[in-house]
Amino acid sequence: WPYCRQRCSYCSFNKYVVPAVDEAAVRASMVRETRTLLRLSQVQSITSVFFGGGTPSLASPQTIAAVLEAVAGAANLPVGAEVTLEANPSSTSTQRLAGFRAAGVNRLSIGVQSLDDAELRLLGREHTAAEAQGAVEAARGLFPGRTSIDLLFGLPGQSWDAWARSLEAALGLCDDHVSLYQLTLERGTVLAAQVSGGTLPAPPQDLLADMYQTARAMLVAAGFRHYEVSNFARKGALSTHNLSYWRAEQYIGVGPGAHGRFVPRGEGGHRREARVQTLEPDAWMREVQSRGHGTRKRVVLSPLEQLEEVLALGLRTDEGVTHERWGHFSPQLSLEAVFGAPGEARDLQQQGWLVLDSSGLRCTWEGLALLDSLLPSLLCQLQR
């Protein structure tokens, strides 16, 4: 769902702020593209559906229900399949959330971002801390054990103390899943311009590292499992949908700018493709109306490209890349053959950042925080 009510100061996503949305037309296009791509993939069963954006909580429950009906009509959507909706606190009244639950949503991901009003204003968010708190409480009532919150750290001018306080407040509020994202200053955003222009200070790298390590320690002490670089779950409330990305499973992207990775068996394809749908909503709708889907770009992934993705995504998780998953993509060349030989991976193991054992290849607790700096040398070893 590509539409938002306003653009946040840090956001570079494919989002559109328009005076009015022809929701019936968008809904019809989403339903049609869903059916077309499912038919093209020939997948038999769906494990999860994720409504992202934009701000999908601005869509009506009727639209959410129509897309889920299209999914269930084209493939098996088990009763217990995870169905997540991303929501902004400003569009999550209890009545609205109840409508989404009735439509088939069973997990909510709320873009809280901060519980400090001054920080929310800096970020250009349209909600207050009190509204965020109310939204999370309403969500927990309707989706107990399946409510997640997003928080941002590393804001210009944010102190370590302010971050620790914000996290403490979030822990008192949140249910069972927290996603933490370091703010990245994307070119073309208001916030990036303010920092590069000198009107706002850029946060120092060592402070960012301290904020991340503090958050990890606090969340783990509160009973959360740090199951992915940015994600923490308690009582087994991991995001099934996001795990499928990190485990390099197939997924279909529907809607403007959505990404997918699947084998188009319906047209005789045998290899996984990376697909991107047309970005601009009106152009996307025209394409869906004329040919059933709005796929703008499709690239057949080579065996090496697939393994690069398996490695880069799998190492983000605490389980890492299992031998079984690697073997699915590389039946000829084992993990041991690639990363057990003398080279970069062995050096990283000796330095305490990486483990290769009977379970597979994964980062240590310390290594997970440094993954971005470990990956280039591992990818080089894989390419050789």
Side-chain angles (χ1 to χ4, degrees), residues 185 189-202:
L185 295 166
T189 62
V190 173
L191 216 49
Q194 289 171 318
V195 171
S196 65
T199 54
L200 286 173

PDB file of all heavy atoms in Angstrom, residues 185 189-202:
ATOM      1  N   LEU A 185      20.631   8.167   7.144  1.00  0.00           N
ATOM      2  CA  LEU A 185      20.332   9.442   6.493  1.00  0.00           C
ATOM      3  C   LEU A 185      20.364   9.230   4.983  1.00  0.00           C
ATOM      4  O   LEU A 185      21.430   9.150   4.378  1.00  0.00           O
ATOM      5  CB  LEU A 185      21.343  10.509   6.935  1.00  0.00           C
ATOM      6  CG  LEU A 185      21.264  10.856   8.427  1.00  0.00           C
ATOM      7  CD1 LEU A 185      22.487  11.629   8.872  1.00  0.00           C
ATOM      8  CD2 LEU A 185      19.984  11.645   8.735  1.00  0.00           C
ATOM      9  N   THR A 189      16.276  13.155   1.532  1.00  0.00           N
ATOM     10  CA  THR A 189      15.312  13.333   2.625  1.00  0.00           C
ATOM     11  C   THR A 189      15.596  14.646   3.361  1.00  0.00           C
ATOM     12  O   THR A 189      16.715  15.170   3.324  1.00  0.00           O
ATOM     13  CB  THR A 189      15.377  12.177   3.634  1.00  0.00           C
ATOM     14  OG1 THR A 189      16.684  12.147   4.240  1.00  0.00           O
ATOM     15  CG2 THR A 189      15.116  10.831   2.964  1.00  0.00           C
ATOM     16  N   VAL A 190      14.581  15.159   4.030  1.00  0.00           N
ATOM     17  CA  VAL A 190      14.701  16.423   4.778  1.00  0.00           C
ATOM     18  C   VAL A 190      15.786  16.308   5.841  1.00  0.00           C
ATOM     19  O   VAL A 190      16.624  17.203   6.009  1.00  0.00           O
ATOM     20  CB  VAL A 190      13.337  16.771   5.442  1.00  0.00           C
ATOM     21  CG1 VAL A 190      13.467  17.969   6.372  1.00  0.00           C
ATOM     22  CG2 VAL A 190      12.280  17.042   4.372  1.00  0.00           C
ATOM     23  N   LEU A 191      15.788  15.189   6.558  1.00  0.00           N
ATOM     24  CA  LEU A 191      16.736  15.017   7.661  1.00  0.00           C
ATOM     25  C   LEU A 191      18.183  14.974   7.163  1.00  0.00           C
ATOM     26  O   LEU A 191      19.073  15.581   7.771  1.00  0.00           O
ATOM     27  CB  LEU A 191      16.399  13.721   8.417  1.00  0.00           C
ATOM     28  CG  LEU A 191      16.602  13.716   9.926  1.00  0.00           C
ATOM     29  CD1 LEU A 191      15.987  14.917  10.608  1.00  0.00           C
ATOM     30  CD2 LEU A 191      16.064  12.434  10.534  1.00  0.00           C
ATOM     31  N   ALA A 192      18.410  14.282   6.055  1.00  0.00           N
ATOM     32  CA  ALA A 192      19.765  14.213   5.485  1.00  0.00           C
ATOM     33  C   ALA A 192      20.251  15.602   5.088  1.00  0.00           C
ATOM     34  O   ALA A 192      21.414  15.968   5.316  1.00  0.00           O
ATOM     35  CB  ALA A 192      19.787  13.284   4.282  1.00  0.00           C
ATOM     36  N   ALA A 193      19.350  16.401   4.519  1.00  0.00           N
ATOM     37  CA  ALA A 193      19.708  17.769   4.110  1.00  0.00           C
ATOM     38  C   ALA A 193      20.051  18.624   5.334  1.00  0.00           C
ATOM     39  O   ALA A 193      20.994  19.432   5.302  1.00  0.00           O
ATOM     40  CB  ALA A 193      18.552  18.395   3.334  1.00  0.00           C
ATOM     41  N   GLN A 194      19.293  18.439   6.422  1.00  0.00           N
ATOM     42  CA  GLN A 194      19.558  19.221   7.640  1.00  0.00           C
ATOM     43  C   GLN A 194      20.906  18.862   8.254  1.00  0.00           C
ATOM     44  O   GLN A 194      21.628  19.730   8.738  1.00  0.00           O
ATOM     45  CB  GLN A 194      18.425  18.991   8.658  1.00  0.00           C
ATOM     46  CG  GLN A 194      17.096  19.650   8.240  1.00  0.00           C
ATOM     47  CD  GLN A 194      15.945  19.231   9.148  1.00  0.00           C
ATOM     48  OE1 GLN A 194      15.822  18.073   9.520  1.00  0.00           O
ATOM     49  NE2 GLN A 194      15.093  20.185   9.493  1.00  0.00           N
ATOM     50  N   VAL A 195      21.249  17.564   8.221  1.00  0.00           N
ATOM     51  CA  VAL A 195      22.540  17.140   8.786  1.00  0.00           C
ATOM     52  C   VAL A 195      23.690  17.595   7.888  1.00  0.00           C
ATOM     53  O   VAL A 195      24.679  18.149   8.360  1.00  0.00           O
ATOM     54  CB  VAL A 195      22.575  15.608   8.998  1.00  0.00           C
ATOM     55  CG1 VAL A 195      23.984  15.143   9.381  1.00  0.00           C
ATOM     56  CG2 VAL A 195      21.576  15.198  10.079  1.00  0.00           C
ATOM     57  N   SER A 196      23.558  17.391   6.566  1.00  0.00           N
ATOM     58  CA  SER A 196      24.652  17.798   5.671  1.00  0.00           C
ATOM     59  C   SER A 196      24.797  19.314   5.634  1.00  0.00           C
ATOM     60  O   SER A 196      25.896  19.835   5.444  1.00  0.00           O
ATOM     61  CB  SER A 196      24.443  17.236   4.261  1.00  0.00           C
ATOM     62  OG  SER A 196      23.286  17.791   3.675  1.00  0.00           O
ATOM     63  N   GLY A 197      23.691  20.031   5.860  1.00  0.00           N
ATOM     64  CA  GLY A 197      23.751  21.500   5.884  1.00  0.00           C
ATOM     65  C   GLY A 197      24.250  22.065   7.207  1.00  0.00           C
ATOM     66  O   GLY A 197      24.438  23.276   7.338  1.00  0.00           O
ATOM     67  N   GLY A 198      24.432  21.190   8.187  1.00  0.00           N
ATOM     68  CA  GLY A 198      24.987  21.631   9.469  1.00  0.00           C
ATOM     69  C   GLY A 198      23.976  22.141  10.470  1.00  0.00           C
ATOM     70  O   GLY A 198      24.352  22.590  11.557  1.00  0.00           O
ATOM     71  N   THR A 199      22.678  22.089  10.134  1.00  0.00           N
ATOM     72  CA  THR A 199      21.681  22.575  11.106  1.00  0.00           C
ATOM     73  C   THR A 199      21.378  21.518  12.178  1.00  0.00           C
ATOM     74  O   THR A 199      20.854  21.836  13.233  1.00  0.00           O
ATOM     75  CB  THR A 199      20.358  22.988  10.413  1.00  0.00           C
ATOM     76  OG1 THR A 199      19.891  21.897   9.625  1.00  0.00           O
ATOM     77  CG2 THR A 199      20.560  24.207   9.531  1.00  0.00           C
ATOM     78  N   LEU A 200      21.723  20.256  11.889  1.00  0.00           N
ATOM     79  CA  LEU A 200      21.580  19.183  12.877  1.00  0.00           C
ATOM     80  C   LEU A 200      22.891  18.402  12.951  1.00  0.00           C
ATOM     81  O   LEU A 200      23.558  18.229  11.937  1.00  0.00           O
ATOM     82  CB  LEU A 200      20.450  18.222  12.479  1.00  0.00           C
ATOM     83  CG  LEU A 200      18.997  18.701  12.641  1.00  0.00           C
ATOM     84  CD1 LEU A 200      18.048  17.672  12.040  1.00  0.00           C
ATOM     85  CD2 LEU A 200      18.654  18.936  14.109  1.00  0.00           C
ATOM     86  N   PRO A 201      23.264  17.916  14.151  1.00  0.00           N
ATOM     87  CA  PRO A 201      24.538  17.188  14.277  1.00  0.00           C
ATOM     88  C   PRO A 201      24.405  15.729  13.839  1.00  0.00           C
ATOM     89  O   PRO A 201      23.386  15.088  14.083  1.00  0.00           O
ATOM     90  CB  PRO A 201      24.821  17.256  15.790  1.00  0.00           C
ATOM     91  CG  PRO A 201      23.459  17.343  16.416  1.00  0.00           C
ATOM     92  CD  PRO A 201      22.572  18.074  15.447  1.00  0.00           C
ATOM     93  N   ALA A 202      25.438  15.213  13.178  1.00  0.00           N
ATOM     94  CA  ALA A 202      25.464  13.780  12.834  1.00  0.00           C
ATOM     95  C   ALA A 202      25.904  13.006  14.065  1.00  0.00           C
ATOM     96  O   ALA A 202      26.851  13.398  14.745  1.00  0.00           O
ATOM     97  CB  ALA A 202      26.451  13.539  11.699  1.00  0.00           C
TER      98      ALA A 202
END
